[in-house]
Amino acid sequence: MTEPADILRNAATLVGEAKNDEHGDYHATFAKTADLWSAYLSTTITPRDVAAMMALLKLGRDKTAPGNPDNPLDAAGYAGLMGAL
């Protein structure tokens, strides 16, 4: 059984500097995604909304693929990014 603190420690590695090097600065990425989603949906989406929606995607994925340890791990990572945004 995985402990909650272990999940959070692992999630912290998902949002660290190494990920910025791999995927780009999350501020810029989430801002660009918010712009694209806003245009597509014809409504204003913020970078913080993007992080929340990505966390919800991971929670939804957990309903269809329960037990995959990536789902709560990724959701926690997106929640951390949401808090930072």
Side-chain angles (χ1 to χ4, degrees), residues 6-82:
D6 294 331
I7 293 169
L8 294 174
R9 275 190 288 278
N10 288 336
T13 67
L14 295 176
V15 296
E17 273 187 42
K19 287 296 177 176
N20 276 352
D21 292 343
E22 184 178 345
H23 296 291
D25 176 69
Y26 71 91
H27 291 99
T29 300
F30 281 64
K32 180 51 66 184
T33 302
D35 289 344
L36 292 166
W37 288 5
S38 294
Y40 183 82
L41 295 170
S42 299
T43 193
T44 301
I45 303 293
T46 68
R48 188 176 166 90
D49 292 330
V50 171
M53 300 285 248
M54 293 304 295
L56 289 171
L57 170 77
K58 294 302 183 167
L59 295 174
R61 189 173 282 170
D62 195 64
K63 293 297 276 184
T64 60
N68 182 331
D70 287 348
N71 296 326
L73 181 66
D74 290 348
Y78 283 119
L81 291 170
M82 185 179 88

